[in-house]
Amino acid sequence: MNIHSEKILILDFGSQTTQLIARRIREQKVYCEIHPYTLPLEKIKEMQPKGIVLSGGPASVYDEAAPLSDPAVFELGVPVLGICYGAQLMTHQLGGAVERAEKREFGKSDLEVLFTAGLFAGLEDGAGRHQVWMSHGDRIEKLPEGFVSSARSEHSPHAAIRHGEKNLVGVQFHPEVAHTLIGTDVLRNFIFGICGCDPSWTMHNFVESTVRDIKEKIGSGQALCALSGGVDSSVTAALVHRAIGDQLVCIYVNNGLMRTGETKSLMRYFEEKTRLKVIEVDAEDYFLGELEGIVDPEVKRKRIGYGFIKIFEEEAKKLGDVKYLAQGTLYPDVIESVSFRGAAVIKSHHNVGGLPEVMKLDLIEPLRELFKDEVRELGLELGLPEEAIYRQPFPGPGLGIRIMGEVTRERLHLLRRADVIVLEEMKNSGYYRKVWQSFAVLLPIRTVGVMGDERTYENVVALRSVDSVDAMTADWSKLPYDLLGRISNRIINEVRGVNRVVFDISSKPPGTIEWE
Ligand code: XMP
């Protein structure tokens, strides 16, 4: 079965929640893709979607530069669901009227359903009243010809609309957010009831068809994969290996900035459980040499990034004829969302992004359609150990950006010892998997303390732990005091050279997750 034979197309008008729409649909085992609203009609037709979703967005339809869809989208005979701005757009482009609302609706709202079929099938309970989440300043005032209202709220007489004969529907609220309690029902009604999709997009099917595609693309050529020990590169390697076996060679660069035992268990797994070829390059001296005397975070990041490319390239040359590079790019990196254009560079992220151009390699990116949680599911399907799959993210520049100021061997040693304690305690308390990331940071200052009647003048370790869904925003984790106390006690008692531990209580924004 071709997993892409049935898909929902989401046209993005720049909403903050467009990705959420995709996730909610995929949770129902229906494949979907997000494309910018500018996707040409011809491409839409080629994709043969079973349904189209017009996302929300920050614009007003009557703005001069308002993003519009090709009106022919409504004539394709494919069901269309407009969400918020998408619903207003449908109204506007089909001859109705949208105006600035006297009272804007933000947050929870009470929806009165007038038509319990179509989008609201099976929602007869609650006397037709349901909690939904709204976020709009404009509202639909006059319906286009052929449309009727199927729900209303206090400030929206047409909170949901439908065409009498065609499969064109719209909702003013956001079914994709958790506060819309009937959101899943509404989306299910659209994809299954209205579009007639099958819930057949499973990881098992994904593996089968992806393995077939990779085999076809690579043929008898050789491919490389930069294995970092992280979830994305491990899953990529396992998947590509399943497709082409020994034609895949993985390179693992030890940059001397890894945690204690960080990749050991994974390497052992690859060695014992798979026949993956892994070349381990010990480049500790090189990287630590490059970082000598460097305190500026961006310079650190750049040196580590360039160093990685240099070493990878050297190793690849030794292998001779390699044409492909397998890379664990994920869907959020791929989406060309109109809302994120022109974002400022806060940090130069280190990944293998520069490699394909430098080495003239063709990219294989088997995870480009997946979200992080789907990658984990895929890893389980491929039989990777849970320990590898549920690892917290670890940045490419490693401990190099968790040591403020110069990175030295002594300081690395100190931070590693503190870090092990943080990990152990987080795991023992069950918080390791509950938080997004938790780690220790070494500060470049010393403070005064007293130990066994003696004055001490030693280092400070900061503990960082955050909750997040996608690392774009994050909040500091509300860890129990006794856990914080245990971590602090153990670090101060067990790590010689540290006499103080502080807890970082900044959210992102305005802070970032890593300190550099
Ligand atoms: P920040 O610090 O920007 O981090 O809030 C967001 C997420 O990205 C991780 N991170 C990196 N990952 N290469 C990576 O692969 C990098 O250079 C890098 N820098 C930060 C960070 O750990 C967090 O999960």
Side-chain angles (χ1 to χ4, degrees):
M1 193 197 75
N2 182 352
I3 51 155
H4 295 156
S5 60
E6 260 196 7
K7 73 175 76 154
I8 297 285
L9 166 64
I10 301 169
L11 290 178
D12 181 24
F13 289 90
S15 166
Q16 299 291 327
T17 55
T18 304
Q19 285 199 32
L20 264 184
I21 305 174
R23 295 174 78 108
R24 293 286 107 84
I25 294 178
R26 289 182 182 196
E27 277 164 17
Q28 300 302 322
K29 302 199 184 329
V30 170
Y31 181 70
C32 63
E33 278 179 22
I34 301 173
H35 288 269
Y37 72 94
T38 47
L39 187 72
L41 190 68
E42 278 318 303
K43 291 262 186 245
I44 297 179
K45 283 187 187 160
E46 263 170 40
M47 288 171 78
Q48 299 186 327
K50 293 275 282 185
I52 297 173
V53 177
L54 310 178
S55 84
S60 284
V61 289
Y62 44 76
D63 286 348
E64 222 166 86
L68 302 177
S69 58
D70 188 326
V73 162
F74 303 109
E75 304 299 330
L76 291 172
V78 177
V80 181
L81 164 66
I83 294 178
C84 195
Y85 177 81
Q88 295 164 5
L89 189 72
M90 183 184 278
T91 304
H92 176 72
Q93 292 198 286
L94 294 176
V98 174
E99 282 167 27
R100 186 165 294 279
E102 234 168 68
K103 288 226 165 91
R104 302 188 301 173
E105 276 183 302
F106 285 102
K108 283 177 200 165
S109 194
D110 194 27
L111 187 83
E112 188 186 346
V113 172
L114 308 169
F115 178 72
T116 46
L119 285 185
F120 302 107
L123 293 173
E124 290 82 8
D125 292 350
R129 289 187 172 268
H130 303 279
Q131 180 190 307
V132 296
W133 195 81
M134 299 270 198
S135 173
H136 63 107
D138 297 342
R139 69 178 204 185
I140 300 168
E141 290 295 339
K142 181 174 151 276
L143 295 175
E145 214 180 303
F147 277 79
V148 286
S149 243
S150 40
R152 64 180 169 224
S153 68
E154 193 186 346
H155 299 297
S156 294
H158 310 297
I161 60 171
R162 68 187 170 92
H163 193 282
E165 283 138 37
K166 299 179 188 169
N167 278 324
L168 303 176
V169 287
V171 289
Q172 186 57 74
F173 58 90
H174 287 267
E176 68 277 20
V177 306
H179 294 305
T180 295
L181 302 182
I182 54 166
T184 306
D185 300 278
V186 169
L187 288 174
R188 281 177 60 90
N189 280 332
F190 180 66
I191 55 183
F192 298 127
I194 298 179
C195 303
C197 292
D198 265 337
S200 55
W201 191 66
T202 62
M203 275 308 150
H204 184 73
N205 291 337
F206 179 84
V207 170
E208 267 184 25
S209 74
T210 310
V211 162
R212 203 167 46 228
D213 289 352
I214 296 173
K215 263 187 196 156
E216 211 167 274
K217 179 159 181 188
I218 299 185
S220 59
Q222 273 209 87
L224 276 180
C225 180
L227 200 58
S228 70
V231 187
D232 305 341
S233 67
S234 307
V235 174
T236 302
L239 188 61
V240 176
H241 185 257
R242 188 171 281 200
I244 60 166
D246 274 357
Q247 289 159 249
L248 172 74
V249 180
C250 296
I251 298 181
Y252 166 68
V253 180
N254 175 12
N255 57 13
L257 303 166
M258 308 304 281
R259 291 170 144 164
T260 308
E262 178 81 59
T263 43
K264 241 192 234 152
S265 66
L266 191 78
M267 296 305 243
R268 200 181 318 125
Y269 163 78
F270 278 125
E271 212 175 281
E272 289 170 5
K273 298 269 164 54
T274 74
R275 284 195 298 266
L276 198 69
K277 273 199 239 169
V278 185
I279 299 176
E280 252 189 275
V281 189
D282 183 4
E284 184 170 8
D285 291 343
Y286 167 79
F287 279 95
L288 297 190
E290 283 295 295
L291 291 175
E292 231 175 85
I294 307 293
V295 292
D296 183 281
E298 275 301 281
V299 179
K300 278 188 194 173
R301 281 178 167 273
K302 291 213 164 101
R303 291 213 172 183
I304 299 169
Y306 291 141
F308 179 82
I309 292 183
K310 176 180 139 11
I311 288 177
F312 195 88
E313 209 183 348
E314 281 170 12
E315 288 304 313
K317 263 194 199 132
K318 294 182 196 159
L319 292 170
D321 189 27
V322 177
K323 285 208 179 64
Y324 300 94
L325 179 75
Q327 201 168 279
T329 316
L330 302 195
Y331 200 44
D333 312 327
V334 173
I335 301 169
E336 265 186 274
S337 176
V338 281
S339 46
F340 294 117
R341 264 187 214 153
V345 176
I346 309 292
K347 300 177 180 184
S348 309
H349 268 220
H350 155 86
N351 50 37
V352 288
L355 277 175
E357 295 85 50
V358 176
M359 298 174 58
K360 301 193 175 55
L361 292 171
D362 277 351
L363 273 182
I364 306 278
E365 296 175 307
L367 312 185
R368 356 178 352 107
E369 291 156 353
L370 305 184
F371 290 110
K372 192 86 173 180
D373 46 345
E374 292 171 330
V375 172
R376 295 205 160 112
E377 213 184 306
L378 173 61
L380 289 176
E381 175 71 32
L382 290 166
L384 261 68
E386 284 212 6
E387 201 188 323
I389 288 170
Y390 290 101
R391 289 164 44 118
Q392 292 178 357
F394 186 69
L399 300 181
I401 54 165
R402 291 182 181 171
I403 291 176
M404 306 301 99
E406 191 185 358
V407 178
T408 62
R409 282 176 204 271
E410 295 71 39
R411 306 185 82 205
L412 274 166
H413 178 67
L414 204 144
L415 180 58
R416 278 197 184 104
R417 296 192 52 204
D419 190 71
V420 167
I421 294 172
V422 174
L423 279 189
E424 268 177 23
E425 291 300 332
M426 290 300 286
K427 283 186 177 165
N428 290 344
S429 61
Y431 271 85
Y432 179 81
R433 277 208 202 172
K434 286 188 199 156
V435 305
W436 174 264
Q437 260 172 303
S438 45
F439 53 87
V441 176
L442 182 62
L443 305 193
I445 49 165
R446 288 192 291 164
T447 68
V448 172
V450 53
M451 269 179 168
D453 296 336
E454 293 280 332
R455 175 186 192 269
T456 58
Y457 185 50
E458 287 174 343
N459 294 285
V460 183
V461 161
L463 173 65
R464 179 71 162 150
S465 180
V466 294
D467 300 334
S468 176
V469 180
D470 52 13
M472 301 283 291
T473 59
D475 197 6
W476 57 280
S477 316
K478 312 297 179 293
L479 298 180
Y481 285 166
D482 60 340
L483 174 58
L484 290 173
R486 222 164 30 244
I487 293 175
S488 164
N489 260 340
R490 280 198 59 195
I491 292 178
I492 294 171
N493 285 330
E494 296 173 33
V495 184
R496 191 169 280 257
V498 178
N499 68 352
R500 193 177 295 272
V501 173
V502 295
F503 185 42
D504 180 355
I505 51 170
S506 340
S507 62
K508 171 184 179 173
T512 54
I513 296 176
E514 303 290 345
W515 277 38
E516 288 194 334

